[in-house]
Amino acid sequence: IGKGQSVEVKCMERDSTDKPYLTGKFVIASLERTDAAQDDATYSISLENDGEVTFDESAITETPETAGA
């Protein structure tokens, strides 16, 4: 993938890889590794929309009140 080209993004709930709740083409605006030494890898990413985005609310099983509880 060359600089500035779009990539296909699929967002899914943690531990659920069979049904994405969001799909679409995006350009990666920034990607930064943010973990401390000796920690699990953690990244921060900023995406810019590059076309139609599909959102499937039925693929979300957690509610904000129970997420992370």
Side-chain angles (χ1 to χ4, degrees):
I1 298 175
K3 186 174 182 176
Q5 290 183 325
S6 62
V7 295
E8 184 175 357
V9 173
K10 295 180 181 181
C11 298
M12 293 162 247
E13 288 185 320
R14 186 178 297 244
D15 299 325
S16 176
T17 59
D18 58 340
K19 190 172 183 183
Y21 63 84
L22 183 138
T23 58
K25 296 276 188 176
F26 294 85
V27 174
I28 299 172
S30 67
L31 178 64
E32 178 183 359
R33 189 169 179 173
T34 58
D35 56 293
Q38 306 299 321
D39 284 348
D40 291 339
T42 304
Y43 293 88
S44 177
I45 188 170
S46 293
L47 303 169
E48 295 177 358
N49 180 291
D50 191 33
E52 184 178 343
V53 175
T54 303
F55 181 74
D56 181 1
E57 193 171 332
S58 70
I60 299 176
T61 60
E62 291 185 0
T63 60
E65 298 81 40
T66 60

